[in-house]
Amino acid sequence: MSFLPNTPTCVQSGHLASRSTRLHAPAAHRRGWIIPQWSHTRSALDAGSITVAADLPSTSTAQREAAWELLKDFTLKEFRGAAQEPYLSSPAKRQRLREALKIAFSGPYPPAGWMGPSDDSEVLLGVVASDVKFAARAYRDWCEELGLPLVMPNSRVDGVSSAMQLRGGVYLKYNSKTQLCYVSRYDGRDRGVLLQLGQLQLGHFPLGFFDEGMTKPPPMF
């Protein structure tokens, strides 16, 4: 898997850039991928214009492009530490972000190399958390919401046979196509969920993005 446990960037490549890689990206590359092209999608991003999950079958091209631009803008602002107010500061804003994510996931977006969900699709998740229990919850929630196969996480730490017995910060990596999931130690400060669709990495999304009140029972791993 190509996830790096640093705050991601929107990159058009097979690899996921770390903080240092992103800061040295060429200006033209940044303009093409990191800075949203608001002139094409501004009207579709107005409040209420992004459809809810129930309306996904009739999602228009403009709505899908708007959803991707919103997610790329969130990723950029999250990297800069500026995502809280525009995207996470209220239930309505977080719901809008969730709706954009589901719209983006639901159909093809060739600029990112994402062909939409199918048996051949590859979805990568990276979860960084202070405790393996939080990582496992987030991993379970994302698999359920996106309809991905949930597999038992394996430990990649010598001397620890069960991933759920790890203590301290962890980094969980998951590949929906190979159905591999493993957990290693993580000493960094980042927290949240990274998502890669096609060649584009998005996030970090909050660990409790799909279960803010932690009302679901813990996963039985």
Side-chain angles (χ1 to χ4, degrees):
M1 299 183 195
S2 58
F3 273 116
L4 298 177
N6 293 323
T7 300
T9 180
C10 303
V11 290
Q12 190 177 15
S13 71
H15 299 283
L16 303 180
S18 67
R19 292 178 189 269
S20 58
T21 303
R22 181 184 175 281
L23 290 173
H24 291 88
H29 183 81
R30 292 199 301 270
R31 284 196 298 271
W33 272 96
I34 298 174
I35 305 300
Q37 305 300 311
W38 298 112
S39 59
H40 299 295
T41 58
R42 184 186 301 274
S43 61
L45 284 171
D46 290 340
S49 64
I50 291 184
T51 59
V52 296
D55 297 327
L56 290 182
S58 61
T59 299
S60 69
T61 299
Q63 288 169 326
R64 195 175 307 283
E65 290 179 350
W68 277 95
E69 296 296 346
L70 186 149
L71 293 170
K72 287 190 282 184
D73 187 58
F74 164 74
T75 297
L76 175 61
K77 285 185 168 60
E78 200 281 332
F79 169 77
R80 292 176 172 173
Q84 181 66 28
E85 170 54 33
Y87 291 111
L88 302 173
S89 59
S90 73
K93 291 176 181 179
R94 295 191 296 274
Q95 179 61 22
R96 185 165 176 250
L97 187 61
R98 283 189 288 267
E99 290 169 1
L101 176 64
K102 290 184 178 181
I103 289 172
F105 179 80
S106 69
Y109 185 65
W114 172 244
M115 296 297 104
S118 71
D119 291 341
D120 294 327
S121 298
E122 182 179 62
V123 178
L124 302 182
L125 293 174
V127 185
V128 283
S130 61
D131 188 287
V132 69
K133 294 179 181 178
F134 296 141
R137 275 183 171 273
Y139 162 56
R140 183 271 315 274
D141 294 345
W142 279 73
C143 285
E144 288 182 353
E145 290 291 333
L146 300 183
L148 305 174
L150 184 68
V151 298
M152 176 79 73
N154 293 313
S155 171
R156 285 288 180 92
V157 178
D158 291 341
V160 182
S161 59
S162 170
M164 298 306 294
Q165 298 302 314
L166 286 169
R167 295 293 179 265
V170 297
Y171 184 35
L172 180 150
K173 297 181 182 181
Y174 167 77
N175 185 314
S176 68
K177 189 170 185 178
T178 63
Q179 296 193 26
L180 291 176
C181 180
Y182 58 85
V183 183
S184 56
R185 296 194 190 280
Y186 176 64
D187 297 325
R189 295 181 296 176
D190 291 320
R191 298 290 183 265
V193 178
L194 306 175
L195 170 70
Q196 181 166 323
L197 301 177
Q199 298 170 344
L200 195 63
Q201 178 178 315
L202 303 165
H204 299 78
F205 297 91
L207 288 169
F209 194 53
F210 291 115
D211 184 21
E212 294 184 354
M214 295 182 68
T215 58
K216 295 180 182 179
M220 301 300 291
F221 291 132

